[in-house]
């Protein structure tokens, strides 16, 4: 299988919708009611039930959910939130939206890319308001330990669950350990609808705040006025337009029914990758075999032993073997905007992973033949 042009033969991620998804969206489009309304309510109720939490508030991105979660935690100018740097930038940038300062803590290491609770503890100051945990690639961060640490210090725990819908720690769903769990419905996420997110919580106050601020802190919504529940509104705070629309909620609701089956296939493919990759010299992968069954297996991260081999490997995979890869993630504290704002910060374990990580293709309809091709390409290139 040689590369046949601009598009790789084996993409990092690929999405297949079913007829029922298309029908659900078409029905909304025909109904003529496109913004947040009854389908969004139905999606929220179904997601909350699926997760086992009191409230799911749908918004237009996980970034918006993180912003609302930090605001609900009381984060404002002068406050600090301890976050990992081995994440997508949104985990940290949403702290800046509040006027707060993200304080980066290192990860556990090559074997587990989660934020290190001991590193978090060392960064707590009188200005700390919250701690954010990212469940990297769908594998649980130590939110049990972090929950206890946050309780001890009176801090909020915000879970960035963008990678980990339906994953668990000790039988309890990720996203229900913190004061708020923020999910993503972005195109390449497991439960994708294009653009969208959800804030989940058991706390009525957090849910009320999120519902209010997602729509300009107005006391009634367009649907309420359309259905005659009220004819006017007041604005009672500084809110945003973080609303989701009905076609996306309908798509999310339709796809939610197949989420568990989708993840089960991902787990099978992940186990297969782990057994096939195990004996390739110069390559490792994080998280233990026993963690796969509790993970949502969003992506398959590997690391190369020698950082200088990483970028040439990625180029060879793409150009010689038609295999698309990505880097999850360049470290957030090393981005220009963060360096300029916060100055130099040293996070050795994060920096090592940022220089050695390669994310290889994983999606439910990835075939064994394609998987063998990816593994063969890695074996050939690392032997070269
Ligand atoms: C994708 C992602 C986000 C942002 O999600 P959006 O829905 O695109 O705003 C935040 N955190 C992590 C870890 C992500 O992977």
């Amino acid at each position: 299988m040689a590369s046949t042009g601009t598009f790789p033969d084996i993409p990092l991620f690929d999405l297949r919708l079913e007829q029922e998804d298309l029908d659900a969206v078409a029905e909304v489009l025909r109904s003529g009611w496109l913004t947040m309304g009854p389908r969004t309510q139905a999606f929220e109720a179904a997601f909350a039930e699926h997760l086992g939490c009191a409230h799911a508030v749908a918004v237009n991105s996980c970034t918006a959910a993180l912003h609302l979660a930090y605001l609900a935690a009381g984060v404002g100018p002068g406050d600090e939130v301890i976050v990992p740097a081995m994440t997508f930038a949104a985990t940290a940038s949403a702290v800046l939206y509040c006027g707060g300062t993200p304080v980066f803590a290192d990860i556990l290491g090559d074997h587990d890319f989660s934020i290190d609770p001991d590193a978090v503890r060392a960064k707590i100051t009188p200005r700390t308001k919250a701690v954010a945990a990212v469940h990297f690639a769908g594998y649980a961060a130590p939110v049990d330990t972090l929950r206890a640490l946050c309780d001890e210090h009176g801090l909020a725990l915000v879970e960035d669950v963008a990678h980990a819908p339906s994953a668990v720690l000790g039988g309890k769903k990720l996203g229900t350990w913190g004061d708020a769990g923020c999910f993503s419905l972005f195109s390449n996420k497991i439960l994708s609808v294009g653009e969208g997110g959800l804030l989940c919580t058991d706390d009525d106050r957090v849910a009320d705040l999120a519902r209010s601020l997602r729509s300009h802190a107005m006391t009634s919504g367009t649907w309420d006025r359309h259905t005659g529940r009220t004819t006017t509104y007041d604005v009672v705070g500084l809110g945003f337009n973080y609303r989701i629309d009905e076609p996306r909620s309908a798509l999310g609701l339709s796809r939610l029914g197949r989420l568990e089956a989708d993840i089960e296939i991902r787990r099978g493919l992940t186990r297969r990758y782990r057994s096939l990759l195990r004996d390739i010299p110069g390559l490792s992968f994080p998280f233990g075999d026993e963690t796969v069954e509790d993970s949502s297996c969003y992506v398959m991260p590997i690391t190369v032993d020698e950082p200088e081999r990483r970028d040439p490997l990625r180029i060879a995979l793409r150009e010689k073997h038609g295999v698309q890869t990505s880097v999850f993630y360049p470290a957030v504290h090393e981005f220009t905007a963060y360096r300029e704002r916060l100055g130099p910060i040293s996070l050795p374990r994060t920096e090592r992973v940022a220089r050695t990580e390669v994310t290889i293709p994983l999606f439910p309809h990835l075939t064994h033949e394609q998987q063998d091709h990816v593994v063969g390409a890695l074996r050939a290139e690392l032997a070269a």
Side-chain angles (χ1 to χ4, degrees), residues 128-141:
T128 309
K129 269 276 161 54
V131 174
V134 174
H135 301 292
F136 194 97
Y139 301 83

Side-chain angles (χ1 to χ4, degrees), residues 60-64 66 87-88 90-91 134 160 162-163 183-186 188-189 195-197 298 328-329:
N60 56 16
S61 69
C62 178
T63 307
L66 286 163
T87 181
F88 182 62
T91 319
V134 174
D160 181 334
H163 298 182
F183 292 84
S184 178
L185 309 173
F186 178 64
N188 67 8
K189 300 287 160 70
E195 300 283 355
Y298 166 50
F328 278 54
Y329 288 101

Side-chain angles (χ1 to χ4, degrees), residues 65-205:
L66 286 163
H67 184 193
L68 298 177
Y70 293 143
L71 288 174
V75 178
D79 295 330
E80 297 174 352
V81 180
I82 301 172
V83 300
M86 182 40 59
T87 181
F88 182 62
T91 319
S93 51
V95 177
L96 293 167
Y97 299 168
C98 304
T101 303
V103 173
F104 294 105
D106 213 346
I107 56 170
L108 287 160
D110 284 12
H111 62 292
D112 185 334
F113 299 174
S114 308
I115 196 167
D116 173 4
D118 289 333
V120 171
R121 184 185 287 278
K123 301 245 167 157
I124 295 173
T125 74
R127 291 187 299 280
T128 309
K129 269 276 161 54
V131 174
V134 174
H135 301 292
F136 194 97
Y139 301 83
V143 275
D144 44 358
T145 308
L146 291 170
R147 178 74 272 177
L149 182 64
C150 287
D151 289 346
E152 186 188 320
H153 292 269
L155 308 176
L157 176 63
V158 173
E159 291 179 81
D160 181 334
V161 212
H163 298 182
S166 218
V168 295
L169 175 67
K172 183 172 161 59
K173 286 251 163 65
L174 303 183
T176 65
W177 288 82
D179 298 83
C182 303
F183 292 84
S184 178
L185 309 173
F186 178 64
S187 318
N188 67 8
K189 300 287 160 70
I190 296 179
L191 186 64
S192 50
V193 305
E195 300 283 355
L198 291 146
L199 182 152
C200 294
T201 183
D202 283 328
D203 187 329
D204 296 346
R205 184 195 62 82

